[in-house]
Amino acid sequence: MTKAIVYKFGGASVKDASAIKNLHRVLLNRLQSKMVVIISAMGKTTNSLEEILRLKYDQKDYYSNCAILRKNHLAICSELFEEQNPIFSIVENLFLQLERDLEQALHKDNYDQYYDRIVSYGEVLSTKIIHAYLCEQNFFCIWQDARELIVTDESFRSAKVNWSLTAKECKRQLEEKLRKFPVITQGFIGASASGKCTTLGREGSDFSAAIIAHSLRAKSVTIWKDVPGVLNADPKRFADTVKFDRIDYREAAEMTYYGASVIHPKTIKPLANLKIPLHVRSFIEPEGKGTIIGDFPEERHAVPTIVVKGQQVLVTFEVTDFTFISESHIHQVYAELERLRLGVNMLQTSAISISICVNEELFKLEQLVDEMSVHFKVRYNDGLQLMTVKNYNESAKNQFLGREGILMEQTTRSTIQLVYKA
Ligand code: ASP
Ligand code: MG
């Protein structure tokens, strides 16, 4: 039995009409049986929907933002379709529904649920438009609502997947359809067992691809990006980046943990568990080989991997009574971090203090400082960056350890980490 293949296209790959035409070409040249195509919202649509929600929450006028979003989607349609195409009324209709949903009252305590319902329109709009366009070009495919595939709990905005129900629904909904046509569906969104719309967290479409691939025991997943593959560093920050041809699952998972944004951190595990290869390829140069992430435990890279994570805060907890730092102090700090669900990116202890580097989540940081000030003298610096250099060599060591503005550094056998003022 042929296994399915899963493709994922992010927002940048469908940001305008010419990008969508390009997507069509990429698919057409690779048409094969049993394709699932997962698509994000177009361009920065999710950000725009978040902005609309923020305005609504602050009881400001969000209507003109809605109008701009609607106009942008319709303008893309005008470039792709003849005037009388039914897609125009489909899009108009979705915007009417969105506006109607926005008219409903928004309370502080149901904000996350409301958020999921509103931002999901981005993915529904893009997949409706692209599905219609592909069919119009005689690339016949089936539109599938991802909320019928991905079953989650009700932790809105970062929903947890119910893997067994999801596998059941994916098989039930997709196997038959895939025997006939490729299926187009949305990334990022799912639904709880009782039918409430949920989302998997920002940039979650990569994870959607992995969930569906895992559920169908697919042959492979390909994430189509605007870079030639996985590079050893962000080309926007560093010159002379190198593309990796192959990366072991474990290495890739670590890269995402340290903040490499090329793939969503949750994507690797469901694929690695079933040894499903993950390809990262360029939609700009689709003939390029890209990177394969797979089971390559022997793979050694000749160049170090550099990951920079912004918006970091360095918090130092200092004992006030001349005791030395002990396990119980660390326990105290970590218990509070767990309560706030704030992950530590780097930790260092000294005789009288504990320092941690965490993501800048203002509201949580305030609570952390307040709570801990009872037991410690707490200081913090914000607006920092955390750089991780994996598999470093002498020249990387010289280059990075000497840099200015370092507030905390750590060197292990394989990794250098630095927290510094950006
Ligand atoms: N559209 C969502 C976002 O921008 C999900 C994704 O693109 O992966 O976060
Ligand atoms: Mg995206």
Side-chain angles (χ1 to χ4, degrees):
M1 203 175 68
T2 43
K3 288 181 168 184
I5 62 155
V6 177
Y7 276 4
K8 181 257 164 173
F9 289 91
S13 66
V14 293
K15 69 178 196 302
D16 54 27
S18 70
I20 294 170
K21 289 178 184 168
N22 180 60
L23 175 147
H24 169 231
R25 278 192 299 274
V26 171
L27 289 182
L28 193 61
N29 293 334
R30 287 164 188 79
L31 179 62
Q32 49 188 293
S33 67
K34 300 204 177 172
M35 284 177 106
V36 183
V37 182
I38 291 161
I39 302 175
S40 300
M42 290 174 177
K44 300 271 176 239
T45 301
T46 310
N47 292 1
S48 308
L49 288 163
E50 281 188 346
E51 176 64 13
I52 288 171
L53 271 164
R54 201 185 56 75
L55 289 169
K56 156 119 184 133
Y57 190 75
D58 294 343
Q59 299 183 330
K60 296 201 180 117
D61 172 39
Y62 57 81
Y63 190 80
S64 51
N65 290 56
C66 262
I68 294 171
L69 200 59
R70 174 177 159 274
K71 211 177 102 209
N72 291 346
H73 279 83
L74 288 171
I76 291 175
C77 292
S78 300
E79 282 188 59
L80 295 173
F81 301 94
E82 304 275 319
E83 230 172 89
Q84 62 279 13
N85 194 289
I87 191 64
F88 289 97
S89 40
I90 293 173
V91 171
E92 292 281 17
N93 230 301
L94 281 166
F95 274 98
L96 283 176
Q97 279 177 44
L98 169 64
E99 278 158 26
R100 213 182 45 209
D101 277 354
L102 280 167
E103 271 154 28
Q104 295 195 9
L106 167 54
H107 298 292
K108 205 176 170 187
D109 34 330
N110 68 5
Y111 183 82
D112 290 349
Q113 180 175 353
Y114 199 90
Y115 172 101
D116 283 354
R117 200 163 82 224
I118 299 300
V119 296
S120 65
Y121 277 93
E123 266 68 16
V124 174
L125 281 158
S126 72
T127 51
K128 284 281 181 192
I129 294 170
I130 293 160
H131 168 256
Y133 178 71
L134 292 172
C135 290
E136 185 75 22
Q137 302 302 310
N138 295 330
F139 184 97
F140 296 108
C141 50
I142 298 172
W143 185 87
Q144 168 71 49
D145 195 324
R147 290 165 292 197
E148 293 174 354
L149 302 177
I150 296 189
V151 187
T152 69
D153 68 358
E154 294 192 353
S155 1
F156 299 101
R157 295 187 74 174
S158 56
K160 307 275 165 309
V161 177
N162 180 326
W163 291 90
S164 56
L165 283 182
T166 300
K168 209 169 110 199
E169 290 306 320
C170 281
K171 286 188 195 111
R172 199 163 71 89
Q173 296 283 351
L174 295 178
E175 274 180 354
E176 185 64 32
K177 291 172 190 160
L178 285 172
R179 266 193 274 278
K180 297 176 189 135
F181 294 108
V183 169
I184 308 292
T185 192
Q186 307 81 42
F188 181 49
I189 67 175
S192 67
S194 71
K196 297 195 183 84
C197 182
T198 57
T199 65
L200 302 170
R202 286 303 308 266
E203 304 299 328
S205 323
D206 294 349
F207 185 34
S208 300
I211 297 166
I212 291 176
H214 182 97
S215 301
L216 293 176
R217 303 191 166 256
K219 188 168 141 211
S220 68
V221 174
T222 305
I223 297 182
W224 294 93
K225 305 222 28 134
D226 57 0
V227 284
V230 179
L231 308 178
N232 76 313
D234 180 352
K236 291 186 197 106
R237 287 179 197 271
F238 297 93
D240 308 324
T241 52
V242 176
K243 177 181 77 73
F244 295 129
D245 294 334
R246 306 196 316 174
I247 306 180
D248 185 52
Y249 288 125
R250 186 176 297 271
E251 183 80 14
E254 279 186 49
M255 284 167 75
T256 65
Y257 172 82
Y258 290 126
S261 60
V262 60
I263 327 160
H264 188 278
K266 288 184 181 164
T267 313
I268 308 291
K269 190 177 163 207
L271 300 178
N273 285 342
L274 293 180
K275 298 208 186 316
I276 300 171
L278 170 63
H279 301 262
V280 179
R281 297 174 66 178
S282 159
F283 61 80
I284 302 162
E285 282 172 11
E287 305 308 328
K289 266 182 44 206
T291 299
I292 309 178
I293 297 165
D295 197 21
F296 307 121
E298 302 303 320
E299 189 74 19
R300 294 283 171 272
H301 296 143
V303 292
T305 304
I306 308 166
V307 181
V308 180
K309 201 169 178 167
Q311 293 182 298
Q312 298 293 301
V313 191
L314 182 63
V315 194
T316 301
F317 307 92
E318 204 179 294
V319 286
T320 49
D321 59 359
F322 293 97
T323 49
F324 290 133
I325 286 293
S326 68
E327 291 70 21
S328 68
H329 293 117
I330 300 178
H331 181 79
Q332 220 168 14
V333 172
Y334 267 69
E336 184 58 17
L337 290 165
E338 189 185 3
R339 196 183 68 79
L340 293 170
R341 292 221 259 151
L342 200 58
V344 174
N345 298 325
M346 194 172 159
L347 161 76
Q348 219 166 69
T349 58
S350 76
I352 54 158
S353 68
I354 302 168
S355 295
I356 55 166
C357 177
V358 294
N359 295 350
E360 194 167 318
E361 295 186 53
L362 280 182
F363 182 58
K364 291 185 179 179
L365 186 65
E366 258 168 47
Q367 285 189 43
L368 179 69
V369 173
D370 276 2
E371 282 297 318
M372 290 290 110
S373 293
V374 182
H375 315 286
F376 300 94
K377 183 173 159 206
V378 186
R379 285 171 298 145
Y380 71 89
N381 294 67
D382 52 12
L384 305 179
Q385 296 197 325
L386 168 65
M387 180 190 288
T388 304
V389 185
K390 283 203 74 208
N391 311 323
Y392 63 85
N393 50 23
E394 269 316 296
S395 94
K397 214 165 142 179
N398 296 335
Q399 183 184 354
F400 297 118
L401 285 179
R403 69 179 294 158
E404 267 177 44
I406 297 180
L407 298 175
M408 182 158 86
E409 65 181 48
Q410 242 167 46
T411 307
T412 69
R413 265 168 287 214
S414 63
T415 309
I416 297 173
Q417 286 197 295
L418 309 168
V419 181
Y420 55 95
K421 190 95 204 145

